Amino acid sequence: MTKRKEMSVEMSALLKSIKAERIREDGKAVELKSIGDRIDEKAQKLMLLEKREHYFFDNLCHSPGFGNGSEFKEFLKLLPREATDYKRTIGLYLTFAEFTKKIGVANVYKLDSKIVSTVVEHYLDDIDALKTRYGYTVIQIPKIAGLMTNLLVKYRPIMPTDIENDPYPRVNELFAIHHALCICSEFSDGLELEAFEKTTKYDSFIEDMLYLLNRDFTSESLIMVFKTLCLYQFTSFLKKGVDR
């Protein structure tokens, strides 16, 4: 296991400074404009520093549990869009690596990084729209699963490394379903998914989902599919929602 990185003094100071400005922002409405400008400036500096040091990115990739730790939660609270971009992007790559290994095609397919960026960017826009439209403060994971599945099937980020060797023409659909199920079992650390895969219902669900994803569907219909599934198979989702 890769040794966890330590946060630099400069990055720690910037995070504390942004937190202080957030507190001031909450308490002094008349200063919103100037405070907002300072937050934006410091946020830009923080992300430039992150690009050099890769503190959050590398720890999310290599340190199990880092995404649920206090430092990342603080990052998510202060810079929600940037933190969620990291979380969803890294989640896609890690799930893809596990998925291709599982079906025995680790060197046959690859993820297109530009398309992955597009998927995550549109996901963030969709989440912002949901929060604005319905006043959500947190999002239940069936909504995340539905939105991400819709975007993965729409943009199709998985490509064969050799165009002549494409053993799973519907690999994007298969991955989108697996990725959604991983999200649905997030609060059980994957145990609910392992149990589901051992049932006779699992293969039937995959076939039904492949059929649906080859026909007309919307992100809203997919959200309802995953919510229904969660209600009887992934009940840990009822514990809480997530910020993004």
Side-chain angles (χ1 to χ4, degrees):
M1 183 182 297
T2 305
K3 183 179 179 181
R4 174 174 166 174
K5 286 186 174 183
E6 297 295 326
M7 183 179 286
S8 68
V9 174
E10 185 179 3
M11 178 173 282
S12 177
L14 275 169
L15 279 171
K16 290 178 181 178
S17 180
I18 293 172
K19 181 178 181 180
E21 296 293 1
R22 290 293 190 201
I23 293 171
R24 292 186 62 193
E25 183 181 41
D26 289 341
K28 299 182 178 180
V30 293
E31 295 182 20
L32 279 179
K33 179 64 170 65
S34 60
I35 292 173
D37 289 344
R38 291 199 297 271
I39 290 172
D40 289 343
E41 180 182 355
K42 291 176 181 180
Q44 290 175 12
K45 288 182 178 179
L46 178 66
M47 294 313 296
L48 285 173
L49 184 61
E50 166 65 16
K51 286 182 179 180
R52 295 201 309 267
E53 299 185 358
H54 302 287
Y55 173 76
F56 289 105
F57 190 89
D58 285 355
N59 278 325
L60 276 174
C61 283
H62 304 301
S63 298
F66 180 79
N68 294 320
S70 59
E71 287 181 343
F72 187 78
K73 287 181 178 178
E74 189 81 342
F75 182 38
L76 183 62
K77 180 180 179 181
L78 299 174
L79 298 174
R81 192 175 179 95
E82 291 84 350
T84 304
D85 188 322
Y86 276 22
K87 181 178 180 179
R88 293 299 161 204
T89 299
I90 292 168
L92 278 170
Y93 277 100
L94 293 178
T95 304
F96 174 74
E98 176 262 330
F99 170 76
T100 54
K101 182 178 179 181
K102 184 175 183 178
I103 65 175
V105 291
N107 297 315
V108 178
Y109 292 103
K110 62 182 178 180
L111 280 176
D112 185 299
S113 60
K114 290 184 179 180
I115 299 179
V116 168
S117 295
T118 297
V119 167
V120 175
E121 181 180 354
H122 282 266
Y123 167 77
L124 293 171
D125 290 341
D126 288 346
I127 287 293
D128 287 341
L130 278 178
K131 286 192 169 186
T132 300
R133 187 182 307 147
Y134 299 109
Y136 294 144
T137 55
V138 295
I139 303 293
Q140 284 191 318
I141 54 178
K143 290 185 173 66
I144 299 172
L147 292 174
M148 288 295 291
T149 300
N150 176 59
L151 292 167
L152 287 169
V153 174
K154 179 179 180 180
Y155 290 106
R156 313 185 73 77
I158 301 178
M159 298 181 177
T161 54
D162 177 2
I163 197 66
E164 301 297 328
N165 183 22
D166 187 7
Y168 293 96
R170 303 185 68 182
V171 67
N172 278 283
E173 287 85 353
L174 285 168
F175 174 66
I177 298 166
H178 178 72
H179 179 263
L181 295 179
C182 288
I183 291 173
C184 289
S185 65
E186 180 177 335
F187 295 146
S188 70
D189 294 326
L191 293 178
E192 288 170 325
L193 177 53
E194 289 181 18
F196 183 43
E197 290 174 332
K198 295 175 182 177
T199 68
T200 56
K201 299 174 184 177
Y202 175 76
D203 288 341
S204 176
F205 176 79
I206 297 298
E207 288 300 318
D208 288 344
M209 283 298 298
L210 287 173
Y211 178 79
L212 173 63
L213 295 179
N214 197 41
R215 299 182 66 82
D216 292 333
F217 61 89
T218 63
S219 57
E220 288 80 8
S221 66
L222 293 174
I223 288 170
M224 287 304 301
V225 167
F226 290 116
K227 183 172 183 179
T228 302
L229 177 67
C230 282
L231 285 169
Y232 77 84
Q233 189 65 49
F234 301 103
T235 55
S236 64
F237 94 99
L238 294 168
K239 293 179 181 179
K240 57 183 178 179
V242 297
D243 290 331
R244 311 283 282 192

